[in-house]
Amino acid sequence: MSRLIYQRQYEKIRQETLDDSSHVNDSSRLVAFMDHYIEVIKNESPLVEWEKTVWEKGLWFGLFFMFSLFFMITLAVYIYLGDEDVWMILGGGYLSIMLLIVLLTCYPEKHHYKITDTGIYFRGYKRGKRFRQGAFKVIMIVCVPIVLFLLFYGGPTIFAGAGAGALGIFALPAMMKEKKPIEMALPWEAIAIYCEFKQNTIFSKKKMFMIQYYMNIWCDGELTKTVEKIIKEKMRKDCIYTTDFFAEGESNEYIRVEEVLMKETPFLWTPYPGYTNNFL
């Protein structure tokens, strides 16, 4: 299919989205626009398609810090209040609850990317659903009886101060509610800007392409060159490339492209509602 046909399709969908009176603001227009292209691109043959497990930066340091903190709390309870068995139970129970809660939230994201002749598709979800559900059951079976025992043994005052954290067990059902996977898609004609970032660690070298400030595309190795080549070939001719939005966001070239797209498709500069790129 020629590029001209894709452009005509884009113009048609863009205008229909702008003219639809059911949309109350640009955010709802953006959602409807993406929903259309999600279905289109998902059903197309890919130029390249891959999955990537993405960990939040600094996650392992955070886990180590949390473990150290709660270990010190338990050690302090043992040293200063070890002669009171109830405090040993409270300290051990509190540490168990907190560590399990940390584990429930410390799973990476799974990203699925697909690039076609029409545009770019992204689907992301947080891994570890089965583990979270299993750990939640363990918490409720093991920890709730401990909390109830403490309540009957020592009375409500036992949960004063540091002990109040143990009551957080009853807030877990709301915390463990699973989020729906995030799906996003943009046609090449809707991409007016993209950023490129490198992340080098002792374990790997990765590159991230931020597409129109909506989609973060992670890749590494030879795949990086393939993705970069396709992006540069397919995007609109007036699209610009940046490496630092804060430094380059006021440049004449950036302002010019922003003005063009604001007149053409204003909702493409609207934050995607409810979108957290890293679930993180």
Side-chain angles (χ1 to χ4, degrees), residues 68-96:
S68 301
L69 174 64
F70 294 127
F71 176 78
M72 292 175 64
I73 291 175
T74 303
L75 186 62
V77 168
Y78 176 78
I79 293 174
Y80 295 104
L81 301 167
D83 58 333
E84 300 182 30
D85 292 338
V86 66
W87 286 105
M88 285 298 296
I89 295 174
L90 177 60
Y94 181 74
L95 175 63
S96 300

Side-chain angles (χ1 to χ4, degrees), residues 131-246:
F131 173 82
R132 284 191 294 274
Q133 292 175 340
F136 174 71
K137 292 178 182 178
V138 171
I139 290 175
M140 300 308 289
I141 292 172
V142 176
C143 297
V144 169
I146 293 176
V147 173
L148 294 177
F149 169 76
L150 292 173
L151 176 63
F152 288 114
Y153 183 86
T157 57
I158 203 170
F159 296 109
L167 294 177
I169 187 70
F170 297 108
L172 278 179
M175 294 173 58
M176 293 301 103
K177 186 177 180 181
E178 295 290 337
K179 294 182 179 180
K180 293 182 179 180
I182 292 176
E183 285 188 293
M184 309 178 77
L186 282 176
W188 297 113
E189 288 76 16
I191 301 171
I193 184 170
Y194 87 103
C195 298
E196 180 180 310
F197 303 95
K198 293 180 180 179
Q199 185 182 83
N200 297 331
T201 67
I202 59 174
F203 301 107
S204 65
K205 293 182 179 181
K206 296 186 292 184
K207 184 175 285 189
M208 187 266 284
F209 303 96
M210 182 182 288
I211 306 298
Q212 194 62 30
Y213 300 127
Y214 294 129
M215 287 183 281
N216 288 359
I217 299 179
W218 288 96
C219 51
D220 51 26
E222 289 299 317
L223 180 62
T224 299
K225 297 179 181 178
T226 302
V227 171
E228 186 172 16
K229 181 175 182 293
I230 294 174
I231 289 176
K232 290 183 177 179
E233 286 178 351
K234 294 292 184 179
M235 284 194 302
R236 52 194 290 164
K237 299 304 180 183
D238 60 349
C239 179
I240 62 171
Y241 157 81
T242 68
T243 56
D244 186 348
F245 165 75
F246 296 102

Side-chain angles (χ1 to χ4, degrees), residues 81-149:
L81 301 167
D83 58 333
E84 300 182 30
D85 292 338
V86 66
W87 286 105
M88 285 298 296
I89 295 174
L90 177 60
Y94 181 74
L95 175 63
S96 300
I97 292 171
M98 291 299 103
L99 286 179
L100 279 171
I101 290 175
V102 170
L103 286 173
L104 290 176
T105 59
C106 292
Y107 258 76
E109 300 171 27
K110 191 72 169 182
H111 289 185
H112 174 220
Y113 305 103
K114 183 177 182 180
I115 299 179
T116 72
D117 284 323
T118 295
I120 303 175
Y121 166 81
F122 163 83
R123 182 179 186 270
Y125 63 94
K126 196 166 188 177
R127 298 181 62 186
K129 181 178 179 180
R130 290 185 179 180
F131 173 82
R132 284 191 294 274
Q133 292 175 340
F136 174 71
K137 292 178 182 178
V138 171
I139 290 175
M140 300 308 289
I141 292 172
V142 176
C143 297
V144 169
I146 293 176
V147 173
L148 294 177
F149 169 76

Side-chain angles (χ1 to χ4, degrees), residues 58-72 99:
L59 180 60
W60 288 110
F61 174 79
L63 284 174
F64 176 77
F65 174 79
M66 293 291 287
F67 178 82
S68 301
L69 174 64
F70 294 127
F71 176 78
M72 292 175 64
L99 286 179

